[in-house]
Amino acid sequence: LASTWGGAAPPNSAGDTAGTPIVYIPNGTHILLDVSVYVRIWVIEGKLTVEDGGDIEVGAEAIVINHGELHVGSAANPFAHNCTITLHGHHTTPQLPIFGIKLLGLTRGKIFMHGTPKTSFAKLASTASAGSTSLALDAPPTNWLPGDLLVVTSGTHDINCTMLRNDVCETEEVTLVAVSGSTITIAAPLRYTHPVQTLTADGRTVTLALEVINLNRNVRIRGSDGPGTSGFGGHVMLLQPTDAESAFHHVEFTRMGQAMRVGRYPLHLHAVTDQGGVGDLSNVTVVGVSVHHSFNRGLNIHGGTGATVASSTIYKNLGHAFFVEDGSETKNTFVGNLGAMTMRATSLLESDN
């Protein structure tokens, strides 16, 4: 990018929020992003590809794909380094029509984001007792790394849980230290016991095992954290993907969703057509994503048919986790997903509460 930015380096770094106000990529233009940068507004009608040559940080208030394409990795070559998109803005930041602010949005076009494949969650192979720092899983996890933030789910009915986790809920957040086969070591002893039980009824034996979730991915979209951002995270909103095609594979969404604002969710497939009909999402796939610390729901499909959501987790969200909005959504496939510690939200539908 440096050699094509008017013959000079980009005017600022990813940590500088006072520089370039807008970048427009016209149809027919392909930009390869190979440095970290902060640009307030991106309008992509051509193609933007993040080069997998090192860690990249992109800061923005809005990234709008308008009949263009955004690529981070591919199905054949998932992104191998770290790519972090930080969405900036607060309650009083000027808003764009339809999309608002602090967003990655698509009118028409395609988004392909492929992080390094990673086991989203695994089940406990045996009871993890309070005080333990060693947990046995039912299978070796793929690409779990020291420092990853894990969640050990609860066998009780947790109530009155909080975003800050200043509560007594038994769902625990722990840090991974090491992996050896199907055994993991965590940094601090468990506070609670997380049981695995085997039950027999009507001649059938069933094992009930709690899960260990890995929240982290090497490709992540996050909302900025600072003054005026309480409850005001980033959001991703797709309207009508071209060829009904987009992909979010092994991507992390955190500090996302905007409390008390309809349509501002961490990942929102809003496929309602211009005439108000149901839109086609038959080539949209959401696989192995992690949504956590969300101020407004998790994954929302509105007026869309045919999407696939698989092996994904949503943790610590206000309101619905996996949600199809108004009953018109058909043939959407949800396979092997997990929601944990969904908390009540009083600002949207009665069912969110």
Side-chain angles (χ1 to χ4, degrees):
L1 182 62
S3 63
T4 61
W5 200 288
N12 51 9
S13 67
D16 176 11
T17 58
T20 303
I22 187 168
V23 165
Y24 168 60
I25 302 175
N27 183 29
T29 299
H30 183 186
I31 296 295
L32 185 65
L33 184 64
D34 59 359
V35 295
S36 296
V37 66
Y38 181 95
V39 175
R40 285 188 61 199
I41 308 291
W42 295 80
V43 179
I44 302 170
E45 295 185 348
K47 182 177 179 180
L48 177 65
T49 298
V50 179
E51 185 179 37
D52 194 6
D55 294 347
I56 295 283
E57 294 190 19
V58 179
E61 291 183 11
I63 302 171
V64 179
I65 293 90
N66 184 41
H67 296 266
E69 296 185 11
L70 171 64
H71 292 253
V72 181
S74 67
N77 295 291
F79 204 83
H81 296 86
N82 293 314
C83 176
T84 302
I85 297 175
T86 302
L87 301 172
H88 295 264
H90 46 77
H91 292 281
T92 60
T93 302
Q95 311 271 309
L96 298 179
I98 301 176
F99 288 119
I101 203 65
K102 206 168 185 177
L103 80 124
L104 169 59
L106 178 144
T107 56
R108 287 168 177 80
K110 301 179 182 183
I111 298 174
F112 298 101
M113 302 185 73
H114 293 266
T116 299
K118 193 169 196 173
T119 300
S120 295
F121 64 93
K123 291 186 176 182
L124 290 171
S126 59
T127 295
S129 300
S132 175
T133 58
S134 179
L135 285 65
L137 306 181
D138 64 347
T142 300
N143 290 326
W144 284 23
L145 303 173
D148 281 352
L149 182 62
L150 310 180
V151 171
V152 187
T153 60
S154 170
T156 64
H157 181 59
D158 285 344
I159 58 174
N160 299 321
C161 305
T162 68
M163 276 284 186
L164 297 177
R165 293 311 317 272
N166 52 349
D167 53 46
V168 293
C169 295
E170 294 188 11
T171 297
E172 297 191 59
E173 296 178 14
V174 298
T175 301
L176 180 64
V177 173
V179 179
S180 178
S182 58
T183 299
I184 63 172
T185 303
I186 58 177
L190 291 173
R191 296 172 59 196
Y192 304 100
T193 293
H194 301 264
V196 174
Q197 301 178 2
T198 300
L199 306 177
T200 301
D202 296 328
R204 298 177 59 193
T205 299
V206 177
T207 298
L208 302 179
L210 297 177
E211 302 88 0
V212 181
I213 304 169
N214 192 311
L215 298 182
N216 297 140
R217 305 291 187 272
N218 69 312
V219 174
R220 62 187 65 87
I221 305 172
R222 66 183 183 184
S224 63
D225 187 16
T229 64
S230 177
F232 194 84
H235 73 105
V236 176
M237 185 176 186
L238 280 66
L239 300 185
Q240 297 177 37
T242 302
D243 301 324
E245 185 178 20
S246 283
F248 295 89
H249 289 199
H250 306 285
V251 178
E252 176 183 346
F253 299 78
T254 185
R255 296 203 301 266
M256 301 288 281
Q258 296 173 5
M260 298 179 286
R261 299 197 180 206
V262 174
R264 304 294 184 250
Y265 316 123
L267 182 53
H268 183 192
L269 306 179
H270 183 92
V272 179
T273 67
D274 295 339
Q275 295 74 35
V278 176
D280 185 7
L281 298 173
S282 57
N283 296 311
V284 173
T285 54
V286 179
V287 177
V289 308
S290 167
V291 179
H292 61 97
H293 299 79
S294 167
F295 305 118
N296 194 357
R297 296 181 175 166
L299 184 146
N300 195 102
I301 299 178
H302 183 197
T305 181
T308 296
V309 181
S311 303
S312 296
T313 62
I314 300 176
Y315 165 69
K316 201 156 68 170
N317 56 289
L318 293 170
H320 290 294
F322 300 92
F323 183 56
V324 288
E325 190 157 333
D326 60 16
S328 65
E329 302 83 10
T330 61
K331 300 179 181 178
N332 295 293
T333 303
F334 293 81
V335 180
N337 303 293
L338 177 65
M341 205 170 180
T342 293
M343 291 178 279
R344 292 178 174 179
T346 59
S347 60
L348 296 174
L349 299 176
E350 183 177 349
S351 58
D352 285 285
N353 191 28

